[in-house]
Amino acid sequence: MPALKSGMVGVYQKKEGRRDMQKEPGFADVVAASVRLKGHAHRTPVLTSRYLNALSGTELFFKAENFQRVGAFKFRGALNAILALPEEVRRRGVVAYSSGNHAQGVACAAQQAGIPAVIVMPKDAPAMKLAATRGYGAEVVLYDRYTEDRQAIGGALAAERGATLLPPFDHPDIIAGQGTAALELFEETGPLDALFVPVGGGGLASGCALVAQAASKGCTVIGVEPAAGDDARQSLAAGHIVQIEVPKTLADGAQTTAISPLTFGIMRRLLREIVTVDDATLVATMRTLAERMKIVVEPTGCLGVAAALAAASEWRGKRIGVIISGGNVDMARFSRLMQGFEWE
């Protein structure tokens, strides 16, 4: 795989072997990321539904990242961050921590780049995400998400092995890579009135907001969290980062306890607001997407869709973009949820 120059604002510090994480990426960095990813990441489809348009009274455009490599948008940021590393640093490998989609994204990107990867994952991560991460050749280190600190474990492993730590969202190259999903969306749809984006740690929402600001003037960006895990909503309301306990929600991709200074700064500046969706609504939305659009979407991936439908009265007659962030849900659990069985 060819090594491409980084277009990031962050400056690589050779003595410390890391980037300066204090500097925000910009729209130019998202464009540079799109160049790096061309031919490696899928250009996922933009889907529409006459049924959902009629139901909502809006024109909806769904960026279907459930069709991305590894089944989620996370591959974009992971590969962009790996390709942006100097070759001598990249060869030493990477370490990441994740509940699943970032884990798979880093594992797959590392495999493609021909470098080793160690992924710190919670013991209760979905079985399919654990299996897929191992399947891409990564070493998986398990931890208890309720009693152990994944960031500390990841940092210690990276230091021990001389590898680069790639956090799931607190990294300018990760944010720029995730923003390429919105860049492709606007390239296909043209200007939009609003864009609904799932929020976990805020990397996807931050990257997409940078694109919306530059590519679609006047587009309102709205973040969406699970109701049980609204740390980002609380943070924007309070004006400072709020940390919560690990939320108990079906949206395992958004079970973060706190956003980062980097994503907080971008979202506070560029998002109008963050709204929430409860688990019951996520299940109903999963069912609607399966029945009407014939696609499998994980609970986290349904956040933007559910919020856009709930807010339809505000946007009647408008053009609305929605990021479907992923489709990695265990089929046995998907079947139980579709049949209306109580979730665990």
Side-chain angles (χ1 to χ4, degrees):
M1 178 178 295
L4 299 175
K5 291 185 178 180
S6 169
M8 296 305 304
V9 176
V11 178
Y12 185 78
Q13 300 176 353
K14 291 185 178 179
K15 290 184 179 179
E16 298 182 30
R18 62 176 176 83
R19 284 182 180 272
D20 176 1
M21 293 300 159
Q22 301 307 310
K23 295 184 179 180
E24 290 184 1
F27 178 65
D29 302 310
V30 180
V31 174
S34 73
V35 174
R36 291 193 190 95
L37 298 181
K38 188 174 182 180
H40 301 298
H42 295 325
R43 187 179 179 95
T44 53
V46 176
L47 305 179
T48 59
S49 166
R50 286 184 293 178
Y51 170 79
L52 292 179
N53 285 352
L55 180 69
S56 64
T58 66
E59 191 174 4
L60 293 161
F61 300 92
F62 303 101
K63 181 60 170 170
E65 286 296 288
N66 50 316
F67 294 114
Q68 185 53 260
R69 295 191 64 176
V70 312
F73 74 96
K74 290 286 191 177
F75 179 74
R76 296 175 180 271
L79 185 59
N80 185 55
I82 286 174
L83 290 180
L85 291 170
E87 187 175 354
E88 68 276 11
V89 175
R90 189 189 313 154
R91 283 199 301 265
R92 295 200 292 269
V94 292
V95 175
Y97 46 84
S98 166
S99 63
N101 284 339
H102 180 62
Q104 293 174 84
V106 171
C108 182
Q111 183 185 61
Q112 188 166 341
I115 62 173
V118 181
I119 314 294
V120 180
M121 299 183 70
K123 295 176 182 178
D124 61 347
M128 67 167 292
K129 295 185 179 183
L130 286 165
T133 302
R134 292 188 175 108
Y136 289 122
E139 175 187 348
V140 173
V141 175
L142 299 176
Y143 79 102
D144 186 328
R145 75 165 89 217
Y146 298 102
T147 62
E148 295 181 286
D149 184 342
R150 66 180 189 173
Q151 188 170 354
I153 296 170
L157 284 168
E160 174 188 312
R161 303 187 185 206
T164 298
L165 183 65
L166 295 181
F169 50 86
D170 189 25
H171 192 299
D173 292 327
I174 296 286
I175 291 171
Q178 317 304 30
T180 61
L183 184 63
E184 292 174 6
L185 174 65
F186 286 113
E187 285 174 351
E188 291 200 29
T189 65
L192 296 171
D193 296 297
L195 178 64
F196 287 79
V197 189
V199 175
L204 176 64
S206 295
C208 290
L210 290 170
V211 174
Q213 179 191 43
S216 184
K217 298 294 184 184
C219 178
T220 298
V221 183
I222 298 172
V224 191
E225 285 185 298
D230 66 339
D231 59 290
R233 185 195 65 78
Q234 291 186 49
S235 297
L236 265 61
H240 60 82
I241 295 174
V242 173
Q243 183 159 355
I244 63 173
E245 296 296 321
V246 176
K248 295 185 182 298
T249 173
L250 286 174
D252 62 280
Q255 282 184 299
T256 49
T257 60
I259 55 179
S260 72
L262 188 56
T263 57
F264 173 72
I266 296 172
M267 290 193 294
R268 188 182 187 191
R269 179 164 52 87
L270 299 181
L271 267 61
R272 186 186 78 176
E273 63 180 331
I274 293 177
V275 299
T276 63
V277 176
D278 62 34
D279 279 5
T281 303
L282 291 178
V283 173
T285 305
M286 290 172 68
R287 184 178 295 110
T288 297
L289 292 174
E291 291 176 346
R292 293 292 180 167
M293 298 182 68
K294 313 307 178 189
I295 58 175
V296 174
V297 180
E298 65 184 280
T300 308
C302 290
L303 285 166
V305 182
L309 294 175
S313 60
E314 177 186 354
W315 300 101
R316 199 163 298 279
K318 302 296 186 180
R319 291 162 50 83
I320 310 300
V322 179
I323 305 293
I324 295 178
S325 58
N328 291 321
V329 56
D330 178 78
M331 285 296 99
R333 189 172 212 195
F334 181 81
S335 178
R336 293 199 303 272
L337 293 172
M338 292 304 94
Q339 294 177 66
F341 294 160
E342 193 71 24
W343 50 81
E344 298 173 2

